[in-house]
Amino acid sequence: MRAIPAIDLREGACVQLVGGSYDAERVRVDDPLDALRHWRGFGFRSFHVVDLDAALGRGSNAQVVTRLTSHEPGLAFTVGGGVRDTARVTALLEGGASGVVVGTRAIEDAGWLAEVTERFPGRVVVAADVRGREVVTRGWTAGSGRTLDQVLAVLEPLALGGLLVTAVHKEGQLEGVDLSLMREVVKRSRHRLYASGGVTTMDDLRALAAAGAYGAVIGMALYTGRLDAREVAREFAE
């Protein structure tokens, strides 16, 4: 399993929010490239970039995303946040992203998702943001009315690059992961699992690896120093 530092973008900066709430910003790095260089220095080579403003319809950090994905050859970036049309998927992939994360439209428009995964097989990752066991959309602000099991069944036949499953109820809390949720996804889906939400300790990472996760996205615990980045990279960076 690989550990993947999160670079969440808000108003041009790299931030960490508690529970995804704009009113609960705990970390801010004014230049996201500084965050990238910092984590790169420990040996991380894969990164997860999210445009929070685009996800919530509050603006765009597209230029910042381009600066990140074009900064250094050989790094892998999954990029998401407000990706709701094929043109944006195309632009991100052409701009250096290894994979594109689609959430709200992927959940709400199965026909479009089938079309875009056929066009870009293995490069589209679907974000299934889960609160309890309901999949939520629109920057975690709206319930979809669909359970995780229902969403996984629809996604199963598609040529996805993976599933990014975020335990929203754990995000930014530094209280550990929802391991039962991640085990359920591994059991029910053939797609790679990128686990997110609540990663706090090395034991969390080891448990996710044992459960069969392909990757673990880490945010708050790295940025606050709760996790030792050198130790994480030594065990879980590629």
Side-chain angles (χ1 to χ4, degrees):
M1 188 188 76
R2 63 188 64 188
I4 306 169
I7 301 178
D8 296 344
L9 304 175
R10 176 186 183 183
E11 301 162 345
C14 170
V15 302
Q16 284 292 294
L17 309 178
V18 177
S21 171
Y22 262 44
D23 296 327
E25 180 180 302
R26 185 168 171 187
V27 174
R28 175 173 283 249
V29 180
D30 288 333
D31 187 347
L33 274 179
D34 288 341
L36 174 63
R37 295 185 188 106
H38 181 73
W39 303 129
R40 182 72 186 92
F42 289 102
F44 293 101
R45 299 186 60 81
S46 294
F47 302 90
H48 178 59
V49 178
V50 179
D51 187 337
L52 297 174
D53 294 323
L56 291 171
R58 297 189 179 197
S60 171
N61 293 279
Q63 291 183 335
V64 180
V65 171
T66 300
R67 288 176 62 212
L68 290 167
T69 57
S70 62
H71 177 66
E72 179 185 340
L75 301 183
F77 294 90
T78 52
V79 181
V83 181
R84 292 173 186 150
D85 58 60
T86 306
R88 184 63 180 145
V89 174
T90 304
L92 286 169
L93 292 174
E94 291 179 349
S98 309
V100 176
V101 180
V102 293
T104 296
R105 188 171 180 189
I107 301 301
E108 296 178 352
D109 188 344
W112 174 76
L113 179 61
E115 175 187 315
V116 79
T117 54
E118 184 175 349
R119 182 170 175 179
F120 301 108
R123 301 192 71 185
V124 175
V125 176
V126 171
D129 300 328
V130 180
R131 182 181 285 117
R133 287 299 182 269
E134 181 188 16
V135 174
V136 295
T137 58
R138 303 188 180 277
W140 304 351
T141 63
S144 69
R146 300 167 68 190
T147 67
L148 178 63
D149 284 351
Q150 290 171 324
V151 169
L152 291 178
V154 172
L155 300 178
E156 192 64 10
L158 302 179
L160 301 180
L163 301 171
L164 173 64
V165 178
T166 298
V168 175
H169 48 287
K170 292 286 190 177
E171 182 69 19
Q173 304 289 335
L174 295 177
E175 296 177 352
V177 300
D178 187 337
L179 195 58
S180 64
L181 169 64
M182 303 308 171
R183 285 173 173 157
E184 182 180 336
V185 174
V186 171
K187 180 179 179 180
R188 294 181 179 276
S189 176
R190 65 185 178 88
H191 298 300
R192 288 175 173 176
L193 168 63
Y194 294 88
S196 177
V199 175
T200 308
T201 67
M202 291 298 293
D203 283 344
D204 287 334
L205 289 169
R206 292 167 185 144
L208 288 172
Y214 177 82
V217 177
I218 315 173
M220 191 72 77
L222 279 179
Y223 283 90
T224 61
R226 184 73 173 268
L227 270 172
D228 184 321
R230 196 172 307 278
E231 184 180 5
V232 174
R234 184 167 52 243
E235 190 165 343
F236 291 107
E238 303 95 316

